[in-house]
Amino acid sequence: MYVVKSPLSDANLKTVSEALQGALVDLVDLSLVAKQIHWNVVGPRFRSVHLQLDEVVTVARSHSDTVAERAAALGVSPDGRAATVAVGSGIGVTPEGWVDDTAAVGALVDALGAVIARMRERVTSTEEADPVSQDILIAVTADLEKQRWMFQAGNG
């Protein structure tokens, strides 16, 4: 078996791997939450909310791949399995069944807020340990904050 060797020290690698793995879990869950609500949103703003939810899914999936590949490049095996995501996500409970468009927006704003708060902690924790990974986490956070703003501004 081939093993990828990290250019980081053991201490820095531990910090960065925890940040990247946590980010991966949150992003995978965010894409699932947004898709679940996407399938179940109803109400007068159905179409706009439905389409906006797909944008969140696209952003989360794209960034999850970048985060997972960064972890792999550092010699850390990324874990996006359902069981890992279920245990490690910082997103609260997703509404079940049909979701009114106003409740859908609220649920997404809350989910994005939870992920953003954790991403900001990861940005801080990786500053010294690995500025390259920090840059990735900054980009993720910026895109998630944009999505949260768009939900709040357009559907508030």
Side-chain angles (χ1 to χ4, degrees):
M1 171 189 264
Y2 296 98
V3 179
V4 177
K5 302 291 184 197
S6 177
L8 302 178
S9 70
D10 289 346
N12 286 346
L13 183 60
K14 181 179 184 322
T15 298
V16 173
S17 66
E18 289 172 359
L20 292 172
Q21 179 59 38
L24 176 61
V25 164
D26 282 346
L27 289 166
V28 169
D29 198 26
L30 180 61
S31 72
L32 295 172
V33 165
K35 196 49 113 167
Q36 177 65 25
I37 296 171
H38 165 91
W39 293 323
N40 287 284
V41 67
V42 294
R45 295 177 297 157
F46 163 80
R47 182 163 173 72
S48 63
V49 174
H50 182 80
L51 295 174
Q52 200 169 359
L53 287 161
D54 264 345
E55 290 179 29
V56 173
V57 172
T58 299
V59 166
R61 286 180 178 168
S62 174
H63 282 305
S64 66
D65 193 49
T66 300
V67 166
E69 288 178 356
R70 178 64 184 162
L74 293 175
V76 176
S77 175
D79 187 354
R81 297 172 299 158
T84 303
V85 172
V87 171
S89 176
I91 299 174
V93 176
T94 303
E96 189 175 319
W98 301 117
V99 183
D100 174 79
D101 53 9
T102 300
V105 168
L108 246 294
V109 168
D110 289 348
L112 285 161
V115 174
I116 289 165
R118 289 166 51 117
M119 287 296 177
R120 286 187 159 275
E121 291 171 3
R122 294 175 184 121
V123 166
T124 300
S125 74
T126 56
E127 180 179 10
E128 294 295 322
D130 182 26
V132 176
S133 294
Q134 183 194 39
D135 282 351
I136 291 169
L137 296 171
I138 289 169
V140 171
T141 305
D143 281 350
L144 295 178
E145 287 177 346
K146 179 180 178 183
Q147 290 298 318
R148 187 169 189 260
W149 160 63
M150 293 175 85
F151 267 100
Q152 289 176 319
N155 298 294

